[in-house]
Amino acid sequence: MNSMLVIWITMATLTWSSVRASNASNTVPDRVPVMIGGERNLDACGATALVTGLQPVDGNLLAVRSGPGLHYSRINSLAPGARVWLCDHKGRWLGVVYSPTGEDCGVASPSAARRRYSGPCISGWVRDRYLTLEAG
């Protein structure tokens, strides 16, 4: 085998290994937690909103994602008119908490410490343009 070819193959392998290693450190987390609280005199989640603005097509639902962006996985969906608590935001994405059954999500009281929402309801991320502020 030509020594120049061996050197080129070795360099290409080392370069590809470096690219894979650097990309591994830039991976996106699987889930970005919705944070609540942080103000001792305000509710843990300060407002409620309704899902609106979806195209009037049968079965058109708002995707709830595991993080603030389209590259995060879809974990659930919301129908038009569904009510959510607005708890967090990152750019044009809102961290929401909601209950499909109407149970108390535990976010309507003050929480002095800023913390991850841990239940009993569902939390996730939706685009802001599909929500209309209801109260708060």
Side-chain angles (χ1 to χ4, degrees), residues 13-72:
T13 303
L14 289 173
T15 301
W16 177 246
S17 297
S18 298
V19 167
R20 283 189 313 183
S22 68
N23 284 343
S25 65
N26 294 329
T27 58
V28 175
D30 292 339
R31 186 164 181 90
V32 175
V34 172
M35 302 298 287
I36 65 169
E39 297 288 334
R40 68 193 258 196
N41 296 322
L42 299 175
D43 292 347
C45 294
T48 59
L50 297 175
V51 174
T52 59
L54 298 174
Q55 294 297 319
V57 177
D58 189 36
N60 198 4
L61 303 172
L62 176 60
V64 179
R65 298 197 174 271
S66 63
L70 293 174
H71 54 281
Y72 287 95

Side-chain angles (χ1 to χ4, degrees), residues 96-136:
V96 299
V97 169
Y98 60 96
S99 169
T101 62
E103 74 181 297
D104 179 8
C105 294
V107 295
S109 312
S111 174
R114 185 107 170 116
R115 60 184 172 86
R116 295 173 183 220
Y117 181 74
S118 60
C121 297
I122 300 169
S123 65
W125 296 86
V126 299
R127 277 296 307 267
D128 61 355
R129 71 178 175 202
Y130 298 110
L131 297 178
T132 299
L133 186 64
E134 180 182 43

Side-chain angles (χ1 to χ4, degrees), residues 57-97:
V57 177
D58 189 36
N60 198 4
L61 303 172
L62 176 60
V64 179
R65 298 197 174 271
S66 63
L70 293 174
H71 54 281
Y72 287 95
S73 62
R74 183 180 185 151
I75 57 172
N76 209 335
S77 57
L78 293 165
R83 179 175 284 114
V84 298
W85 283 95
L86 304 178
C87 306
D88 201 352
H89 72 280
K90 293 190 185 303
R92 304 294 308 218
W93 291 84
L94 299 174
V96 299
V97 169

